Amino acid sequence: MIIIGAGAAGLMCAIEAGKRGRNTLILDHANKAGKKILMSGGGRCNFTNYNIDANNYISNNPHFCKSAISRYNQWNFIELVQQYGIAYHQREHGQLFCDNSSKDILSMLLAEAKKYSVEIFLNSTIKLITQKADNHYLLESSSQSYQCQSLVIASGGLSIPKMGATPFGYKVAEQFNLKVVTTSAGLVPFTLQQHDKARLEKLSGIAVNGIVTCNNIQFKENILFTHRGLSGPAILQISSYWQQGNEIVINLLPEISLEDFLNSAITEHPQQILKTVLAQLLPKRLVNTFLEPQLLETKLKSLTKEQINLASNQLQNWTIKPNGTEGYRTAEVTLGGVDCNQLSSKTMQANKQTGLYFIGEVVDVTGWLGGYNFQWAWSSGWCAGQYV
Ligand SMILES: Cc1cc2nc3c(=O)[nH]c(=O)nc-3n(C[C@H](O)[C@H](O)[C@H](O)COP(=O)(O)OP(=O)(O)OC[C@H]3O[C@@H](n4cnc5c(N)ncnc54)[C@H](O)[C@@H]3O)c2cc1C
């Protein structure tokens, strides 16, 4: 059997197939296996999450991932990590990261692959795939041809083309008449319209905890102002639910009602000016950008109801229409992909194309930020590995 792509999903599938004694070869056009594993999680690979659930995934078929993530779940992967003695820790929201380096995870997968005699050929670019009369697949690279009974496409999504991302998997799907759900960049920073950019650029570097809402979905995490626009975990998360033209609503003070806060401050410190009080809650630069100087200089005792409403609205109900996203250049993941309705959720095999499997990010299953995408790669790879 042959797997295209020596990334997270391809390696996991190969290990499982190897355990079953299958003669397993992985082909990858890159000069190194698992490049995205190495760069993931800021170099510490957020390899899974304590709380894995189908609700943490986006897909045209939200039920599709359920089978795989329950048959090979976060605990199974954690067990493997523990077997290898890899030190890890939990961060917020149940996210698990390596203590030392992402290299630990890649080395573990390569050691497992070696243990089960998986062969990995790097620098291999497949130019043509055909299916022969006996249903076997014939693969041709510029220098060699290969034949296999089972062909697994684990070539990932389109994010970070510099790392070797290609539309290869989608093209193979289309060649065999499988539908591909339109792809777009997910977990990606927003760029701003010119007037917003000019106003907010000076906030570059400021991070605040906030709630971001779009299309009835919300995330409460950090928001980061950058020189290009908006980033940080809350923004990356909501970007996967955002569509061109949508507005997003941001509450920069998620823990309080600013109206209640100001009303009690009026009684306690009537002589203080608004600016001083708000400086206890948010960075000064931010407050100065969001509210007019005249309002900020107003003594609390003189604030009108309308002015309190205005301040609350600007800071707790800030509505902004992003210009777009930074696109695949910086996206962590690709939304859309090979349509789940054309695949078996048990085996990952194409329903109408015997011997052809799709796993990992190339499939229309996209996880939230927080280890969900790797867990999908491990789970879908493991499932296919039981059948290929
Ligand atoms: C910067 C960054 C950080 C991330 N951090 C995290 C994180 O901490 N936690 C998390 O859960 N997710 C993270 N992700 C997402 C995660 O890396 C991916 O979802 C995951 O790697 C997908 O696994 P995969 O095996 O499907 O694809 P990949 O890991 O992308 O592997 C695909 C492989 O296919 C190869 N390939 C592509 N095209 C061809 C071709 N034409 N011919 C031959 N080979 C080909 C590639 O070279 C690659 O080796 C991050 C992504 C990025 C970009």
Side-chain angles (χ1 to χ4, degrees):
M1 62 148 308
I2 293 181
I3 300 170
I4 311 277
L11 288 168
M12 180 54 91
C13 178
I15 292 162
E16 290 305 310
K19 279 184 191 169
R20 291 171 44 237
R22 298 283 280 143
N23 190 350
T24 306
L25 169 66
I26 311 185
L27 301 173
D28 197 305
H29 71 156
N31 57 0
K32 202 175 163 73
K35 283 191 179 181
K36 273 201 190 156
I37 299 176
L38 291 178
M39 76 188 300
S40 68
R44 291 221 160 80
C45 188
N46 178 193
F47 55 84
T48 191
N49 194 295
Y50 276 140
N51 314 304
I52 299 281
D53 185 272
N55 292 327
N56 305 118
Y57 292 92
I58 303 165
S59 169
N60 262 6
N61 179 348
H63 303 291
F64 182 80
C65 66
K66 288 181 181 168
S67 169
I69 60 173
S70 63
R71 277 182 301 144
Y72 187 84
N73 59 31
Q74 65 274 43
W75 308 111
N76 299 118
F77 194 76
I78 292 167
E79 200 184 313
L80 182 61
V81 167
Q82 287 174 343
Q83 266 174 36
Y84 273 75
I86 297 173
Y88 64 92
H89 61 277
Q90 185 191 172
R91 294 196 195 158
E92 312 140 288
H93 310 292
Q95 304 171 359
L96 299 187
F97 285 79
C98 295
D99 283 359
N100 301 315
S101 160
S102 307
K103 274 189 205 150
D104 291 348
I105 298 292
L106 182 58
S107 304
M108 170 188 85
L109 295 167
L110 293 176
E112 284 284 289
K114 195 169 173 201
K115 187 157 113 191
Y116 298 108
S117 309
V118 171
E119 280 196 283
I120 304 176
F121 290 179
L122 299 169
N123 302 305
S124 309
T125 303
I126 298 304
K127 305 240 178 278
L128 189 68
I129 300 178
T130 44
Q131 196 178 22
K132 302 194 315 168
D134 62 0
N135 279 343
H136 283 202
Y137 293 89
L138 183 65
L139 279 62
E140 288 175 53
S141 76
S142 42
S143 54
Q144 278 200 58
S145 57
Y146 309 88
Q147 270 196 55
C148 58
Q149 190 187 358
S150 299
L151 174 62
V152 182
I153 307 298
S155 52
L158 295 169
S159 57
I160 325 272
K162 259 195 193 160
M163 280 289 133
T166 69
F168 180 85
Y170 311 124
K171 289 193 176 150
V172 175
E174 281 164 356
Q175 179 189 341
F176 291 100
N177 297 318
L178 302 182
K179 197 180 140 209
V180 176
V181 175
T182 309
T183 55
S184 61
L187 298 179
V188 62
F190 284 130
T191 56
L192 301 180
Q193 304 194 33
Q194 203 44 48
H195 62 280
D196 287 321
K197 186 167 182 273
R199 192 170 74 97
L200 299 171
E201 221 160 24
K202 51 183 174 290
L203 301 183
S204 174
I206 289 182
V208 289
N209 188 30
I211 296 179
V212 187
T213 309
C214 183
N215 291 323
N216 297 320
I217 305 283
Q218 28 180 253
F219 290 96
K220 182 172 171 229
E221 280 184 71
N222 259 356
I223 295 165
L224 175 68
F225 292 86
T226 72
H227 60 281
R228 278 195 292 266
L230 293 172
S231 187
I235 295 293
L236 299 185
Q237 298 279 36
I238 210 72
S239 73
S240 296
Y241 290 90
W242 179 85
Q243 273 156 18
Q244 191 67 45
N246 286 163
E247 287 179 337
I248 57 170
V249 180
I250 301 182
N251 179 352
L252 295 164
L253 290 166
E255 309 298 341
I256 59 164
S257 149
L258 185 60
E259 202 178 327
D260 293 350
F261 179 87
L262 289 179
N263 281 328
S264 26
I266 288 169
T267 348
E268 285 161 35
H269 314 284
Q271 298 301 331
Q272 270 187 356
I273 57 170
L274 182 61
K275 189 155 82 173
T276 315
V277 181
L278 290 179
Q280 297 165 25
L281 304 172
L282 286 166
K284 269 190 203 154
R285 260 198 295 158
L286 191 150
V287 172
N288 292 343
T289 304
F290 274 74
L291 300 177
E292 293 299 325
Q294 208 187 336
L295 177 59
L296 287 171
E297 298 300 329
T298 310
K299 283 191 176 165
L300 294 187
K301 64 171 190 183
S302 316
L303 279 178
T304 63
K305 204 165 180 278
E306 287 71 35
Q307 285 173 318
I308 294 177
N309 277 342
L310 179 71
S312 304
N313 215 31
Q314 305 275 55
L315 297 173
Q316 298 210 281
N317 197 21
W318 171 36
T319 305
I320 180 164
K321 193 190 273 189
N323 186 46
T325 72
E326 287 187 7
Y328 293 118
R329 190 178 59 81
T330 59
E332 268 199 24
V333 83
T334 302
L335 292 154
V338 179
D339 184 9
C340 299
N341 297 325
Q342 330 237 341
L343 305 177
S344 152
S345 60
K346 192 174 169 201
T347 65
M348 302 291 144
Q349 184 174 204
N351 296 329
K352 293 188 184 152
Q353 187 63 43
T354 309
L356 183 63
Y357 299 74
F358 292 86
I359 55 173
E361 200 179 313
V362 74
V363 178
D364 173 33
V365 172
T366 308
W368 287 7
L369 188 78
Y372 298 99
N373 285 299
F374 277 135
Q375 187 58 47
W376 169 247
W378 316 136
S379 299
S380 56
W382 184 91
C383 287
Q386 312 307 310
Y387 298 94
V388 284

